[in-house]
Amino acid sequence: MKESHGKGPANHPGPESCGVDRKVAAEALTGENADQVLSCEIKRSGAPTPLTHAEGNTGGSATGELPTGPAQSETLCMRGHSLHGNREIPQVPVEVGMAGRLEKATSRTSGTYACGKSDRPIVPKKPPNNGGLAMPPAEAVEERGLTEGNTGQTAVPRTQSRTRTSNGLAGVRRVARADKRARFTALLHHVTVDLLRESFYALKRQAAPGVDGMTWAQYEVNLEDRLRDLHGRVHRGAYRAQPSKRTYIPKADGRQRPLGIASVEDKVVQQAVVTVLNHIYEEDFLGFSYGFRSGRGQHDALDALWMGIMGKKVNGVLDADIRGFFDAISHEWMMKFLEHRIADRRILRLIRKWLRAGVSEDGSWSKTEMGTPQGAVISPLLANVYLHYVLDLWVHQWRTRTAGGDVTIVRYADDYAMGFQHRAEAEQFLKELKERLGKFGLALHPDFGPADRVRAVRRREPKATGPG
């Protein structure tokens, strides 16, 4: 079924059967015999509207298309460590059709000669000429290993908690990689008792208890009975999210950072849902996003920033972050962004419950109409999804279509640094960035004045050291 996206908040209908062959969808999503009954279907959306209207579509249009290749990484690690880089590979052409996508997903050799793919890590080569929409040199020469969940591997990929995923989730990832406009209508069945158990043991055992006072060790008593009961309530729709317990931690500038501590049961379900959704969104997120992602950290972001400044024609750096980002997230826009990939009403209902669960502080409950609690297991993923549509896709468009000089960006959560070749373009981008963020109720942190945000770069070569 085709779906159109209009301006403003999207209004997607509920899950429906589509015209895609059920046998093909079954094999692509679960890897099981297609003769069995389907438990997961896919919708494909119609032509999206331009990204400049902020719907967050990932498809192409005259003013809002994404690159047909994968998300490219800004990183070229100074140490030559390929594990710090982006593990994504160029996708096969979408023109091959559904049968072609299925063949690519199930065959061990059909995609061997796809552009940029190799059976072993690629040794960095000389950067290509950066003409037209070519990728930046720091992205093009990155040393890469095998893609996570590569169809040529027999082992099932691991999750962030180092536990093995099911073949069904591996199939979800393959479909998400092959079709960037696919909407998944049935995902909750992947939240099994086994996944809930793995999610429980992935939590921090010494974390503070939530409003129910239950600690990790206390919940472990009669764990199997608790998980079976929790699994049943989640799938029956009887699960109820509890409010977050408000606490504060000091910040470096003397202010207090509010945190929301969820109950153990909420953490377990959130961790399970994050595991499922990561198989979709890790195929969507762009390479210059480093915060809260598996296999990426602060040092990787610093490596990417260093390579962007030293490897490209960067004469000025824009350093900024979003003021009170986690507390300023719009629930309405958050759900609309999620609906571009997720069409399972049960998953969306769970996320909506967590967003609206409220906050308990000093025994009094208050309603949360916007924002997502810092400290919640689901919040980092939601933050990345929100910024992916609000900032990342727009920035990638801007630097490839508007900028005349080199532009590089590294984002870690809501903090980001951008390098510009021309100061005039940096000031133009800063003005348009404020307008862009304002459409979603966000604003830059007022640490610096407008004239101080763009700083000149002083290149310093490392001093030569003697022997030893």
Side-chain angles (χ1 to χ4, degrees):
M1 171 175 288
K2 297 285 185 178
E3 297 183 0
S4 59
H5 296 275
K7 295 184 180 179
N11 185 18
H12 299 298
E16 302 176 9
S17 300
C18 62
V20 179
D21 186 86
R22 297 177 66 85
K23 181 180 296 185
V24 172
E27 295 180 2
L29 282 172
T30 65
E32 299 175 355
N33 194 322
D35 294 331
Q36 298 177 0
V37 178
L38 265 179
S39 60
C40 187
E41 298 178 356
I42 304 176
K43 284 185 180 181
R44 295 192 61 191
S45 60
T49 52
L51 285 174
T52 53
H53 295 295
E55 296 85 351
N57 294 285
T58 58
S61 69
T63 59
E65 64 183 9
L66 283 178
T68 56
Q72 300 295 338
S73 173
E74 291 279 349
T75 305
L76 174 59
C77 294
M78 295 180 289
R79 300 178 297 276
H81 197 313
S82 63
L83 293 180
H84 287 202
N86 185 7
R87 294 169 176 80
E88 301 178 33
I89 57 174
Q91 67 184 39
V92 295
V94 298
E95 289 81 9
V96 297
M98 177 58 71
R101 287 195 297 274
L102 174 60
E103 195 268 340
K104 300 296 181 184
T106 57
S107 173
R108 294 171 59 90
T109 59
S110 62
T112 301
Y113 302 102
C115 178
K117 185 175 180 181
S118 176
D119 291 334
R120 56 183 178 272
I122 301 173
V123 179
K125 298 180 180 180
K126 180 180 178 181
N129 293 328
N130 190 16
L133 297 180
M135 67 184 69
E139 300 176 7
V141 300
E142 180 180 10
E143 186 174 342
R144 307 184 185 189
L146 290 174
T147 303
E148 183 181 357
N150 194 329
T151 56
Q153 299 175 353
T154 57
V156 181
R158 290 177 177 266
T159 63
Q160 295 184 26
S161 59
R162 304 298 296 168
T163 55
R164 293 192 176 275
T165 61
S166 66
N167 287 329
L169 285 179
V172 169
R173 189 166 195 135
R174 288 195 297 269
V175 173
R177 180 187 305 125
D179 190 350
K180 298 298 184 180
R181 291 159 59 183
R183 300 181 65 230
F184 295 83
T185 64
L187 293 172
L188 189 63
H189 70 281
H190 293 292
V191 180
T192 62
V193 175
D194 291 337
L195 182 56
L196 292 175
R197 185 186 307 107
E198 295 168 0
S199 301
F200 171 76
Y201 284 109
L203 301 178
K204 294 181 179 179
R205 306 190 179 193
Q206 303 301 326
V211 293
D212 59 352
M214 179 77 69
T215 64
W216 186 93
Q218 292 172 338
Y219 196 87
E220 190 180 21
V221 179
N222 298 325
L223 178 63
E224 294 304 318
D225 292 338
R226 294 180 187 273
L227 294 181
R228 283 193 293 269
D229 174 67
L230 177 60
H231 176 266
R233 284 185 284 123
V234 168
H235 285 265
R236 293 195 311 269
Y239 164 79
R240 295 292 180 267
Q242 300 187 53
S244 299
K245 181 180 178 181
R246 176 70 76 197
T247 186
Y248 297 88
I249 60 174
K251 299 178 64 175
D253 57 3
R255 295 179 298 169
Q256 298 287 319
R257 182 188 301 275
L259 297 181
I261 303 177
S263 65
V264 176
E265 191 171 81
D266 290 339
K267 291 179 181 178
V268 171
V269 183
Q270 289 181 19
Q271 180 62 49
V273 171
V274 166
T275 300
V276 174
L277 296 186
N278 269 339
H279 284 76
I280 299 173
Y281 286 108
E282 279 300 315
E283 299 300 326
D284 291 351
F285 293 152
L286 302 189
F288 54 75
S289 170
Y290 288 88
F292 312 125
R293 295 182 62 185
S294 178
R296 291 170 173 242
Q298 298 94 328
H299 295 290
D300 304 300
L302 290 174
D303 286 347
L305 181 60
W306 187 90
M307 279 304 305
I309 294 176
M310 301 304 296
K312 301 183 70 174
K313 299 176 182 178
V314 173
N315 298 312
V317 173
L318 169 64
D319 182 16
D321 67 337
I322 299 176
R323 178 177 57 192
F325 169 67
F326 283 89
D327 297 329
I329 290 178
S330 166
H331 291 178
E332 181 182 11
W333 278 112
M334 182 79 261
M335 299 308 300
K336 302 313 173 186
F337 292 150
L338 289 169
E339 288 174 4
H340 283 292
R341 273 302 220 175
I342 312 302
D344 189 331
R345 290 183 176 180
R346 299 168 299 173
I347 292 290
L348 296 174
R349 188 180 300 116
L350 282 175
I351 296 176
R352 190 177 290 108
K353 286 181 180 179
W354 293 324
L355 292 175
R356 299 178 178 178
V359 175
S360 177
E361 184 175 2
D362 297 330
S364 61
W365 177 85
S366 59
K367 183 179 180 180
T368 52
E369 297 182 351
M370 62 186 306
T372 178
Q374 295 187 59
V377 176
I378 193 70
S379 293
L381 175 62
L382 296 182
N384 272 336
V385 171
Y386 201 86
L387 289 177
H388 173 73
Y389 289 109
V390 172
L391 184 65
D392 294 357
L393 298 177
W394 177 76
V395 168
H396 184 73
Q397 261 191 35
W398 195 94
R399 71 175 181 178
T400 55
R401 296 174 181 269
T402 303
D406 284 351
V407 177
T408 183
I409 178 174
V410 174
R411 180 176 70 80
Y412 192 92
D414 61 325
D415 298 302
Y416 50 94
M418 295 188 63
F420 294 86
Q421 181 178 355
H422 306 301
R423 182 181 181 89
E425 291 184 352
E427 294 175 348
Q428 176 187 355
F429 175 84
L430 180 58
K431 178 181 178 181
E432 295 181 15
L433 174 64
K434 292 179 179 179
E435 296 175 356
R436 172 73 177 180
L437 294 178
K439 294 179 180 179
F440 301 93
L442 303 176
L444 295 177
H445 198 283
D447 283 342
F448 308 101
D452 298 328
R453 285 191 177 274
V454 182
R455 306 173 182 177
V457 175
R458 294 182 179 179
R459 302 180 185 272
R460 295 181 180 179
E461 297 297 334
K463 296 181 179 180
T465 57

